[in-house]
Amino acid sequence: MKHLSFTKIVVTLFVVVLLFSAGLDVYGQHNNIDYKQWSRIAISTVKKEYPAAQLTDYKYVGRAEVTAEEAKDIFNIVVKEGNESFNVKAEVFFNPKDGKLITVQLERVAS
């Protein structure tokens, strides 16, 4: 009986350490360059493109590696211009090694 309890404790500790390590790895990668700074750039670029519009919602879609020197964060932004609402996909390209902005691309997409 003691052997079974010891085994359960060891397995439980192993699983906890494994989950903790995986969480740190994902957290570290995701926050290497914080997506929030790119969201501000995406939003300000959409505001410049549609100055008379209201931005009613936005969603961080995720990050994609383009090359070793280029990554992009993708955002969906809901724009209301007059009586019309539509979505804009904003892709913010940056260098993941030094955190410098490369470019921002906007694409109006069907709602």
Side-chain angles (χ1 to χ4, degrees):
M1 190 74 167
K2 281 187 175 183
H3 180 68
L4 185 59
S5 296
F6 179 74
T7 304
K8 283 184 178 180
I9 291 172
V10 169
V11 169
T12 302
L13 285 173
F14 176 76
V15 169
V16 167
V17 168
L18 183 66
L19 290 173
F20 183 73
S21 299
L24 283 178
D25 188 41
V26 169
Y27 180 79
Q29 287 176 8
H30 186 263
N31 287 312
N32 188 19
I33 298 174
D34 192 6
Y35 78 92
K36 290 179 185 177
Q37 77 183 46
W38 305 125
S39 71
R40 288 189 292 273
I41 291 171
I43 289 169
S44 68
T45 305
V46 171
K47 284 181 179 179
K48 286 179 189 173
E49 184 71 20
Y50 303 98
Q54 295 177 339
L55 307 185
T56 59
D57 195 15
Y58 110 105
K59 178 183 177 190
Y60 175 64
V61 176
R63 178 168 293 171
E65 182 178 321
V66 179
T67 67
E69 302 290 323
E70 190 173 327
K72 66 179 177 178
D73 275 358
I74 305 163
F75 304 89
N76 284 334
I77 302 170
V78 179
V79 178
K80 184 175 182 188
E81 196 169 43
N83 293 330
E84 180 185 17
S85 285
F86 53 91
N87 293 322
V88 173
K89 180 171 122 179
E91 296 179 324
V92 180
F93 293 83
F94 61 94
N95 185 320
K97 294 181 180 178
D98 63 14
K100 291 186 179 175
L101 177 66
I102 297 171
T103 190
V104 179
Q105 293 181 354
L106 302 180
E107 178 184 355
R108 186 173 169 163
V109 293
S111 298

